[in-house]
Amino acid sequence: MVSSMKLTQPSFRTASPEQLADALQDARDYTLALFDCFLSAGLDAPARVPYLTIVNPPLWELGHIAWFSEWFVLREAQSSAPAAAQHPSILPKADSWFDSNAVAHQTRWKLDLPDVAVLKNYGDEVLNRILEKLRHCDPSNLYSYRLALAHEDMHGEAFAYTLQTLGAAAPRQLAIPAAPACPQMDIHFVGGESQLGSKPDQGFVFDNEKWAHKIFAQEFSIQSTLVSNAQYKEFVLDGGYQKTQFWSAAGCAWLMREKRLAPRYWLLNNGQSFCVRFGTRMALSDNEPVCHVNLHEAQAYCNWAGRRLPTETEWEFAALSGNADFCWGDLWEWTSTPFEPYPGFSADRYQEYSAPWFNTHQVLRGASFATKLRMRSPHYRNFFMAERDDIFVGFRTCTVNKLTTPEIYSKLMRSP
């Protein structure tokens, strides 16, 4: 778990060429360790992987990760447009297999992909050429290397939650945290003027973080840690999933479709509580943060408890406050904020990273136990659909304040 005062781990955003080289090698080693778990479970060939909208066939994803790095670094593409690459791929037909813009999701199970050995060799060759190019790179021109590293790290986390979704064992490198060491309390902030977003002098930034702009945080109180299994279980045992008064209209529609009575992977039987983690049934730890809950479930719990979700402004305000009691990093956290562009947004080279998802996804903040340390930042805006509960996600709550006045709301949303 990360305290807001102790965020000193190395970051890919400002790493030197030598540090980037080490990180790129580490990312590839981790990718292969994760893929070997699919291999051991017999889930390497797409035909053996069930079709789900929330995952990719692992073999396709293995090739796509290498292809993306090759596209932006070796092939020197200045955008993700189909004809943007300045050089051909070292793997014939790679564009027709692994370009996620051109290959529809459902098609990825039907492609005549090369076998595992070929795609591993492709990844090795791409990485070796990238590392050689990096040795001679201008240190002021590292954007494409950082983008390739971030992309592989994000897919590493996606591999991890795919292992959970498919019930396969996790690699030893994936350390699941114990119960939080931080005590849970409400932290009070008087609020005030602050900035939301990243600045150009902070190194690499994702396009949806551009740029830092003035905001006004109203006075608020926020939990120091995430809602625990024990706290959430009280909601479940009180019939929270049957009491529709706590659920939004979208949440009620989801409940009707899913017939859910508890969070994903929970097993409640005769007073005993279990969960399934990477294919293994185990006792549910009361002190661990509740995981695999979607936005509807988080909102319903808050309504039941007389609390609310934080806005992303409040979350970033607290994370940057220097208050050592505000701890984050065990799980991604739902906020009450829809995913929208900051004032002055413009897409970067990876044009489809953010723009297609504005106004349909929800902002998550923080990081999870499966997020590499180098990726963690209080400015990082993750985003998912409201119904996603397969990712490593939980939530914390805020006290319910007086209604924000129109004047303060206008100031909150107004760009500088």
Side-chain angles (χ1 to χ4, degrees):
M1 178 170 288
V2 177
S3 161
S4 62
M5 294 184 67
K6 299 178 181 178
L7 192 62
T8 57
Q9 63 267 25
S11 171
F12 83 102
R13 296 172 182 245
T14 56
S16 68
E18 294 77 16
Q19 291 170 325
L20 276 177
D22 290 341
L24 284 162
Q25 184 65 64
D26 175 72
R28 183 55 47 82
D29 292 343
Y30 186 52
T31 293
L32 293 174
L34 289 159
F35 183 80
D36 285 346
C37 292
F38 294 112
L39 200 61
S40 297
L43 296 169
D44 49 317
R48 299 177 191 151
V49 180
Y51 174 74
L52 298 170
T53 59
I54 57 175
V55 302
N56 283 307
L59 186 65
W60 181 89
E61 200 154 351
L62 182 69
H64 168 74
I65 292 168
W67 176 88
F68 186 97
S69 297
E70 183 191 27
W71 179 266
F72 282 104
V73 182
L74 299 181
R75 301 174 68 185
E76 300 180 341
Q78 296 303 302
S79 79
S80 48
Q86 299 182 36
H87 312 288
S89 174
I90 60 177
L91 180 68
K93 295 180 65 177
D95 291 351
S96 63
W97 286 325
F98 301 121
D99 184 348
S100 56
N101 291 324
V103 182
H105 183 262
Q106 64 270 23
T107 305
R108 298 169 193 175
W109 275 258
K110 305 170 185 176
L111 298 170
D112 184 22
L113 296 177
D115 63 24
V116 172
V118 170
L119 290 184
K120 283 188 174 182
N121 287 336
Y122 171 52
D124 288 344
E125 183 64 22
V126 168
L127 177 60
N128 290 336
R129 294 189 187 194
I130 286 175
L131 294 179
E132 179 59 29
K133 186 175 181 178
L134 183 56
R135 290 188 188 97
H136 308 286
C137 183
D138 179 349
S140 66
N141 189 26
L142 298 174
Y143 177 87
S144 60
Y145 299 91
R146 300 188 198 281
L147 177 62
L149 174 60
H151 179 262
E152 184 148 4
D153 277 342
M154 286 188 281
H155 274 277
E157 184 156 359
F159 259 170
Y161 65 67
T162 299
L163 286 169
Q164 169 72 2
T165 298
L166 299 180
R172 58 178 177 78
Q173 295 97 320
L174 190 60
I176 299 171
C182 306
Q184 189 177 90
M185 64 183 80
D186 275 338
I187 306 171
H188 184 74
F189 293 100
V190 296
E193 191 174 274
S194 184
Q195 287 194 328
L196 188 68
S198 295
K199 300 177 181 178
D201 61 359
Q202 291 177 312
F204 179 96
V205 300
F206 292 103
D207 59 9
N208 61 52
E209 299 170 7
K210 297 188 305 183
W211 289 111
H213 54 286
K214 290 181 181 179
I215 52 88
F216 183 86
Q218 196 179 8
E219 183 177 1
F220 68 102
S221 295
I222 188 170
Q223 277 184 321
S224 57
T225 61
L226 303 179
V227 171
S228 68
N229 282 330
Q231 290 171 318
Y232 197 86
K233 188 161 60 174
E234 291 182 33
F235 168 64
V236 173
L237 295 179
D238 191 44
Y241 280 72
Q242 293 88 16
K243 296 178 178 178
T244 56
Q245 66 266 31
F246 299 128
W247 297 77
S248 65
C252 287
W254 174 80
L255 276 176
M256 289 184 64
R257 287 195 307 272
E258 297 296 323
K259 311 298 183 186
R260 196 75 63 83
L261 296 174
R264 177 173 234 186
Y265 306 120
W266 275 31
L267 303 169
L268 303 178
N269 187 28
N270 295 326
Q272 294 183 302
S273 306
F274 300 92
C275 65
V276 178
R277 182 175 287 165
F278 296 108
T280 300
R281 173 172 161 160
M282 57 186 61
L284 189 69
S285 171
D286 282 347
N287 294 325
E288 288 181 8
V290 63
C291 187
H292 298 298
V293 288
N294 66 25
L295 178 64
H296 305 311
E297 292 169 296
Q299 290 172 330
Y301 172 89
C302 287
N303 290 333
W304 172 83
R307 309 277 293 188
R308 64 175 178 86
L309 292 175
T311 66
E312 73 166 323
T313 293
E314 291 168 335
W315 193 97
E316 189 165 319
F317 190 100
L320 294 174
S321 68
N323 190 312
D325 291 323
F326 186 82
C327 297
W328 60 274
D330 280 347
L331 297 173
W332 290 104
E333 305 179 31
W334 289 111
T335 73
S336 63
T337 304
F339 184 49
E340 297 174 337
Y342 287 162
F345 166 83
S346 62
D348 283 336
R349 292 186 205 175
Y350 184 13
Q351 296 165 316
E352 295 77 22
Y353 178 63
S354 302
W357 319 117
F358 289 141
N359 303 308
T360 60
H361 286 50
Q362 194 81 0
V363 173
L364 295 86
R365 285 308 197 101
S368 84
F369 64 88
T371 309
K372 286 288 188 177
L373 286 176
R374 56 181 168 256
M375 287 288 290
R376 300 181 182 213
S377 166
H379 302 295
Y380 192 153
R381 305 177 79 200
N382 208 343
F383 47 96
F384 280 95
M385 295 287 284
E387 295 186 3
R388 291 291 293 270
D389 58 10
D390 55 304
I391 54 178
F392 303 120
V393 59
F395 64 101
R396 75 180 72 219
T397 68
C398 290
T399 57
V400 175
N401 301 339
K402 295 178 181 178
L403 290 177
T404 306
T405 66
E407 293 78 13
I408 292 179
Y409 183 80
S410 176
K411 187 175 181 181
L412 175 69
M413 300 304 293
R414 192 166 60 239
S415 60

